[in-house]
Amino acid sequence: MSKTTLAIIAGISAATGAAATAALYSSRSERKAPAVGPTTSPSAPVPAHPLLLKDLSPPVHPNGLFQYGFPGPISDLHPTLSTTSAFDRRTRNPMWVAEHITPASLSANNADRKHSVFVEDVTIPSKFRAKLSDYFRSGYDRGHQVPAADAKWSQDALDQTFLLSNMCPQVGDGFNRDYWAHLEDFCRRLTTNFPSVRIVTGPLYLPKRDPEGGKWKVSYEVIGNPPNVAVPTHFFKVVFAEDGKTGGNVSLGAFVLPNAPIANDKPLTDFEVPVEAIERASGLEFAGKLPMQRRKKLCEEVHCSVIAREYMDRQRNLMGQAPAKRLGA
């Protein structure tokens, strides 16, 4: 396991409890807990005839609050042609965005990015949504969670990837326009080995050790005037590469990347983490209904690596133009 992965796990441990994360790497977590014998420690006395809930007549009614409205949390589940997502009203970012790509969907070229524009998602209440003005001169890109290149099968589908509910503030040079884009390309290349690939992408807000006191703290920037949109510290992708058979095997891969410049020669496997680590850090669950006997490790089935391509070449290809030739090519 790389130092980068260990650092990520350490951060997740600090956020969710070191003991809980350590359990991920213990084979005992897959075994049944041993029966607990009698204890001699003192305990509270048990009433001989405990009162049943139906026998109680509380003098208060807390649920009466709901006559005025439900406080939340509300996830704003939002399906579009190309994505399904849940929105976090507190951070003004998506909690997760899911997509599905196939060889057929990626081979279709019925849309042009130059006709698409970034737009606010009006399905989210105005006081909770990200605004175009929030990103203005913020120093961050409007970073797609589901990339536009995955939705060229329809202009409407492509346009919907430009909703701000599919965006998070991302570092541009070295990340959104570089390594993050290479990771997106890796996911698309998986369709040469698998007939169906499902991807869940989202932000994380991981702790960092304070160099002065040594304590772990979560700290992130908020952009906008007034401050409105949180800047994630990290991003995750969970990949389900399906073999196409009913009840068949699913190759699982999970990656966590810092929202920061990353050298193009950095191995993708340095950012590979257990799915359970992302679940503990995000509070989400991804594969609870996928039996262990159907699971395979993605990076044991294929070579997990990125291919660095120039940003302008990717943009030309996205718009249906051939990539420019490099010197010496």
Side-chain angles (χ1 to χ4, degrees):
M1 186 177 291
S2 70
K3 291 182 179 179
T4 303
T5 301
L6 286 172
I8 293 169
I9 299 301
I12 295 171
S13 297
T16 61
T21 303
L24 291 175
Y25 306 100
S26 171
S27 60
R28 290 177 295 178
S29 63
E30 298 179 0
R31 302 172 187 166
K32 291 184 178 180
V36 178
T39 176
T40 57
S41 60
S43 59
V46 179
H49 301 285
L51 291 173
L52 299 177
L53 185 60
K54 65 180 181 180
D55 296 327
L56 293 175
S57 180
V60 296
H61 183 42
N63 288 352
L65 174 70
F66 299 156
Q67 66 183 302
Y68 308 117
F70 178 65
I74 298 171
S75 61
D76 293 302
L77 188 65
H78 188 198
T80 72
L81 290 171
S82 49
T83 69
T84 295
S85 63
F87 192 76
D88 185 345
R89 294 183 172 190
R90 183 179 62 87
T91 63
R92 277 64 166 175
N93 287 319
M95 289 186 282
W96 54 265
V97 190
E99 62 171 315
H100 181 214
I101 54 177
T102 67
S105 72
L106 293 180
S107 64
N109 191 10
N110 303 319
D112 194 328
R113 183 184 178 123
K114 70 182 180 183
H115 300 311
S116 302
V117 293
F118 292 96
V119 293
E120 297 176 11
D121 191 336
V122 296
T123 67
I124 296 169
S126 179
K127 63 182 177 181
F128 298 125
R129 79 174 69 130
K131 308 290 199 303
L132 290 169
S133 58
D134 293 329
Y135 284 87
F136 182 67
R137 293 183 177 177
S138 69
Y140 292 95
D141 285 3
R142 294 165 290 199
H144 282 73
Q145 300 303 281
V146 167
D150 292 0
K152 293 190 294 180
W153 51 270
S154 159
Q155 186 65 50
D156 287 339
L158 180 65
D159 290 346
Q160 289 173 341
T161 67
F162 283 82
L163 289 167
L164 289 191
S165 56
N166 183 44
M167 305 293 159
C168 289
Q170 288 186 328
V171 170
D173 290 336
F175 187 65
N176 179 48
R177 307 172 202 171
D178 294 284
Y179 204 96
W180 183 252
H182 307 331
L183 175 56
E184 294 170 337
D185 176 69
F186 162 76
C187 293
R188 284 189 287 273
R189 286 188 285 115
L190 288 173
T191 59
T192 62
N193 299 88
F194 302 94
S196 174
V197 178
R198 302 181 190 275
I199 308 156
V200 187
T201 305
L204 292 171
Y205 308 86
L206 298 184
K208 185 176 182 180
R209 190 187 291 275
D210 187 343
E212 295 184 3
K215 295 183 178 180
W216 291 89
K217 297 181 179 181
V218 176
S219 176
Y220 53 81
E221 186 178 348
V222 181
I223 62 172
N225 187 17
N228 192 43
V229 181
V231 180
T233 64
H234 295 73
F235 290 92
F236 70 82
K237 278 189 181 289
V238 178
V239 181
F240 302 76
E242 302 168 339
D243 66 7
K245 302 175 183 177
T246 302
N249 293 324
V250 179
S251 297
L252 275 176
F255 306 91
V256 173
L257 282 67
N259 189 11
I262 301 173
N264 282 333
D265 59 357
K266 190 77 169 172
L268 178 57
T269 50
D270 280 5
F271 303 106
E272 184 185 11
V273 299
V275 173
E276 294 83 358
I278 298 178
E279 290 178 332
R280 292 183 185 278
S282 64
L284 306 172
E285 289 192 352
F286 300 101
K289 294 184 178 181
L290 180 62
M292 295 302 297
Q293 61 267 27
R294 292 180 55 198
R295 301 187 188 192
K296 291 193 172 185
K297 293 184 178 180
L298 180 65
C299 293
E300 291 181 0
E301 300 298 310
V302 298
H303 180 54
C304 289
S305 64
V306 298
I307 299 175
R309 296 171 59 193
E310 295 297 328
Y311 177 70
M312 289 308 299
D313 281 354
R314 292 197 307 273
Q315 295 301 96
R316 292 189 184 95
N317 189 46
L318 181 57
M319 295 179 182
Q321 304 173 32
K325 289 185 178 180
R326 298 184 180 89
L327 292 177

